[in-house]
Amino acid sequence: MLPHFTDTLPRARFAGLDGLRAVAVTLVIVYHLFPTGWLKGGFIGVDVFFVISGFLITSLLLREREDTSRISLGAFWRRRARRLLPALALLLAVCSSVAWAIGGDVLVDLRRQLLGAVTFSYNWLAVVDGADYFSSGGGELFRNLWSLAVEEQFYLLWPLLLPVLLLLPRTWMRAGAAAVVALASAAWMGVTVAQGAQDPLAIGGDVTRAYFGTDTHAFGLLLGVALALVWQRTSRLSPGWMRHPLARGGSLVVGVAATVGIILIAALPETSGIATFPGALLGASALTALAIVAGCWPGSWFGRAIDVRPLRWVGDRSYGLYLWHWPVLVLVVAATQGTGADHAFPVWIGALTLLITVVVAEVSYRLVETPIRRHGLRAAARALWRGIRAVRPVPLTAGVVTVVLLAGTTAAIVAAPSVSTSEAVVEAGIDALEDQEPAQPESDAAGTTVSGDQITAVGDSVMLASASGLLARFPGIEVDAAVSRSMYAAPGILRTLAAAGALRPYVVVGLGTNGSISTRTLDEIVQIIGPDRQLIVVTASAPRDWIAGVNADLATFARTHRSVQVADWAAAIAPRTDLLAGDQVHPGDAGGEIYASAVADAIMRAERARARLAAFTEQRLFEQELRRQQLFQPPGAPALS
């Protein structure tokens, strides 16, 4: 994610920054590859990168202006392109070609992703497209490139704005202005998140918009800018007290405490409110600024300690490690278990992804990034062409691989579907509901008749994807289903239907896919539908950690409530997961028939139970009537037999 600035003007190396880069990329990688681990907030590593990037870029530009009295925009942008573009091009070509070989949902929306990657606008295209970084619905191949887009936009604009900022006469004014804008950006993130909590339809009112937006997520970069402005002035004066052993020891304490603080913040669970966005992100950014000061302090003990060789090795390759880890994970998960990386996967997949990431990042660093950074793109291309013409094995192989990758990338672009298989089956369900026509009711094998006009069904996207199967099995059924709906939405929906007189004798509720459930909610549902209606609850089937608990709770609730039956969708689909979409959650047409059959079986059991209860009640009434007549029959009357 963060360029390594060995390709810039000659200067002393900033101590400690390689180690901080290593910490940052480790947090992000562990967060993605081992999601069940303890770094639940490891995404804050991106903000550590942002602060380092703002500090280094601004320090570079200030040094160039101090040395040459000007800033060469062309040279600056050329160095950035030389550093970033070769590794990015290799990543896009390799991963797109492998995705084409795998096929399926891993190719979804690839054209938009590639456009965002090559134009460094990935974050804004994702916002416009409605992508969700934090929900389980995510899983794009190049989703991690959003942060590279933010940094590239900074690299493009900041050299143009810095001279304007330098018009302010005092350093404290310049740094203060950068800090004020940073705080404004953080505040804007908080406002955006708060708007989303109050009104999901508000423009920009969601966490992903706040997280992806350059305007709402620029505070880390700007804190780095403010720090660089102050540090340039301080380091130029270099007062003697800064090298005093007490000061150096203090910098060690501050650096260690700041780094530990960053890791502790990364261990905090993510929330969807301002405590995380911007709270945790801003806290990590501030601690990173302290760690940079501690590392760059003259004679810093902390800088030397955190720049130990293993961390420095990781820091040197942090850009490549960040680039590769997420796309490799998506491809490995798709190839091994046929799902997206947003669904649960075993630890060994994370470990395998880590191994592949380290290997390809090292190859990219040695064979692509370093040669081009040192000699330039044109010189590297000329050397490659000379080797191909001379039929040298290595250049010739590189040329063949380049052609193959270009062909694979082209094929991937052509083959990329616009929607995933899960989205396709959900859309088919919506179409089926819109096109439904009334039909005659059917009888089950037991002779009981339950027609669709006796059933109200409330569900999530799984029920929506099964709509065609439900309509075929129960013509006239009323289906109210929506994407991302949970059980906690059911009482409000059912209460509205009941008030409108739209609740039918059988109420089917399929809302266990998107989160845990509670007995209180189920009790509320039973109370709303009343004693004269039968409740059918549908079990859930999805590669998510709460599903087993949901199904156990539904089974327990049904055992203790006579008016509740379980439609065991999970058991019915378990031997036929091949009928599910690529996310292993949503059924197609054939899977929808199985869903409808599970509901039909539950309704049949409910109808039989109701018939048995009616027969039992009638028998009891008959017996009571017999006893009453025997008790009050006139004297001498013949006994009833």
Side-chain angles (χ1 to χ4, degrees):
M1 129 134 6
L2 180 68
H4 182 60
F5 290 85
T6 58
D7 58 325
T8 61
L9 295 176
R11 61 166 177 80
R13 190 185 190 98
F14 285 113
L17 297 195
D18 283 329
L20 287 176
R21 271 195 292 259
V23 170
V25 77
T26 299
L27 293 178
V28 176
I29 289 177
V30 172
Y31 169 71
H32 282 146
L33 303 193
F34 305 99
T36 59
W38 59 278
L39 289 179
K40 301 298 185 183
F43 56 88
I44 65 153
V46 170
D47 295 87
V48 176
F49 274 130
F50 281 171
V51 179
I52 298 173
S53 187
F55 175 77
L56 282 174
I57 285 294
T58 306
S59 298
L60 167 67
L61 294 173
L62 291 174
R63 180 174 293 106
E64 181 179 2
R65 187 174 183 273
E66 188 176 78
D67 293 343
T68 66
S69 300
R70 60 187 295 270
I71 295 175
S72 175
L73 297 178
F76 171 80
W77 288 326
R78 187 164 53 250
R79 289 193 299 269
R80 294 299 93 234
R82 184 184 294 181
R83 176 65 184 96
L84 299 176
L85 297 185
L88 178 63
L90 180 65
L91 171 87
L92 297 177
V94 170
C95 292
S96 296
S97 299
V98 175
W100 173 70
I102 295 173
D105 286 350
V106 76
L107 286 171
V108 170
D109 212 14
L110 185 65
R111 287 183 287 272
R112 190 264 297 167
Q113 295 183 60
L114 291 174
L115 176 63
V118 299
T119 60
F120 297 108
S121 60
Y122 195 103
N123 59 326
W124 290 115
L125 289 180
V127 168
V128 171
D129 197 53
D132 192 340
Y133 183 80
F134 293 97
S135 81
S136 60
E140 298 173 339
L141 182 59
F142 299 117
R143 186 172 65 180
N144 60 321
L145 298 186
W146 76 269
S147 59
L148 182 63
V150 172
E151 288 204 11
E152 276 299 316
Q153 292 158 28
F154 172 73
Y155 296 155
L156 178 64
L157 295 175
W158 181 235
L160 300 174
L161 298 176
L162 179 58
V164 178
L165 182 65
L166 294 178
L167 293 176
L168 294 174
R170 295 287 185 268
T171 299
W172 67 266
M173 293 180 180
R174 301 165 184 171
V180 167
V181 179
L183 292 177
S185 174
W188 180 226
M189 173 180 279
V191 169
T192 303
V193 171
Q195 283 180 345
Q198 297 172 2
D199 180 8
L201 299 179
I203 298 175
D206 61 80
V207 172
T208 298
R209 161 63 182 89
Y211 192 67
F212 277 2
T214 308
D215 55 339
T216 49
H217 208 153
F219 49 85
L221 291 162
L222 292 168
L223 285 178
V225 167
L227 178 59
L229 291 165
V230 172
W231 193 253
Q232 185 215 27
R233 173 72 174 174
T234 304
S235 60
R236 186 192 305 134
L237 296 176
S238 189
W241 63 266
M242 293 184 69
R243 295 186 177 274
H244 192 279
L246 287 178
R248 294 164 65 186
S251 69
L252 174 63
V253 173
V254 170
V256 171
T259 305
V260 171
I262 291 170
I263 296 172
L264 290 177
I265 290 177
L268 296 175
E270 168 214 340
T271 71
S272 59
I274 60 174
T276 299
F277 308 99
L281 308 185
L282 189 58
S285 299
L287 289 173
T288 302
L290 289 176
I292 291 173
V293 171
C296 297
W297 200 269
S300 170
W301 296 333
F302 172 72
R304 291 200 302 270
I306 200 171
D307 272 348
V308 293
R309 180 167 296 181
L311 290 181
R312 188 164 177 173
W313 187 93
V314 174
D316 282 340
R317 293 153 182 80
S318 58
Y319 175 56
L321 292 169
Y322 180 85
L323 279 184
W324 286 94
H325 82 280
W326 176 259
V328 170
L329 176 64
V330 172
L331 295 172
V332 170
V333 172
T336 55
Q337 62 181 40
T339 63
D342 47 331
H343 295 304
F345 53 86
V347 173
W348 70 264
I349 286 183
L352 176 61
T353 299
L354 179 59
L355 176 62
I356 296 173
T357 297
V358 171
V359 171
V360 295
E362 175 67 7
V363 170
S364 174
Y365 180 77
R366 289 188 177 274
L367 302 184
V368 178
E369 299 170 48
T370 300
I372 292 178
R373 188 172 66 245
R374 289 177 178 173
H375 307 296
L377 181 59
R378 283 180 292 184
R382 285 195 298 266
L384 177 63
W385 176 244
R386 287 195 300 269
I388 293 174
R389 293 184 62 183
V391 200
R392 295 175 189 158
V394 173
L396 188 60
T397 301
V400 172
V401 169
T402 300
V403 173
V404 170
L405 291 178
L406 289 175
T409 303
T410 302
I413 293 172
V414 172
S418 58
V419 297
S420 66
T421 53
S422 60
E423 291 172 321
V425 296
V426 169
E427 289 178 2
I430 295 173
D431 292 340
L433 290 176
E434 292 176 349
D435 298 337
Q436 65 174 309
E437 296 179 0
Q440 296 299 319
E442 298 179 359
S443 298
D444 64 22
T448 58
T449 301
V450 178
S451 60
D453 59 8
Q454 295 178 280
I455 305 171
T456 298
V458 176
D460 52 25
S461 58
V462 176
M463 181 181 285
L464 196 55
S466 306
S468 60
L470 289 170
L471 291 170
R473 188 63 178 262
F474 300 107
I477 185 175
E478 180 65 29
V479 178
D480 184 338
V483 175
S484 299
R485 186 183 279 174
S486 73
M487 187 67 74
Y488 297 101
I493 296 170
L494 293 173
R495 195 173 286 111
T496 300
L497 292 173
L503 275 185
R504 299 173 178 182
Y506 286 87
V507 178
V508 180
V509 175
L511 290 169
T513 310
N514 295 304
S516 60
I517 63 176
S518 71
T519 302
R520 173 183 290 184
T521 302
L522 295 174
D523 283 331
E524 189 176 358
I525 290 172
V526 170
Q527 182 180 5
I528 292 169
I529 68 174
D532 297 329
R533 295 186 178 90
Q534 182 73 39
L535 174 63
I536 309 295
V537 290
V538 186
T539 60
S541 174
R544 296 170 184 168
D545 54 10
W546 59 79
I547 296 299
V550 165
N551 293 342
D553 290 343
L554 292 176
T556 300
F557 187 79
R559 283 195 296 268
T560 57
H561 291 75
R562 180 180 296 174
S563 63
V564 179
Q565 290 285 342
V566 174
D568 203 347
W569 158 243
I573 198 60
R576 295 305 313 273
T577 54
D578 58 301
L579 300 180
L580 297 174
D583 61 357
Q584 294 295 291
V585 177
H586 297 90
D589 289 341
E593 294 175 4
I594 295 177
Y595 186 99
S597 294
V599 172
D601 290 343
I603 290 178
M604 184 188 304
R605 292 195 302 273
E607 184 73 1
R608 288 172 175 171
R610 179 174 288 188
R612 288 195 298 270
L613 178 61
F616 176 77
T617 302
E618 184 178 353
Q619 178 66 24
R620 291 294 301 273
L621 291 174
F622 177 70
E623 292 173 353
Q624 290 174 4
E625 178 64 19
L626 283 178
R627 286 194 296 271
R628 187 186 66 79
Q629 292 187 26
Q630 289 175 347
L631 182 65
F632 295 105
Q633 69 180 15
L640 295 174
S641 58

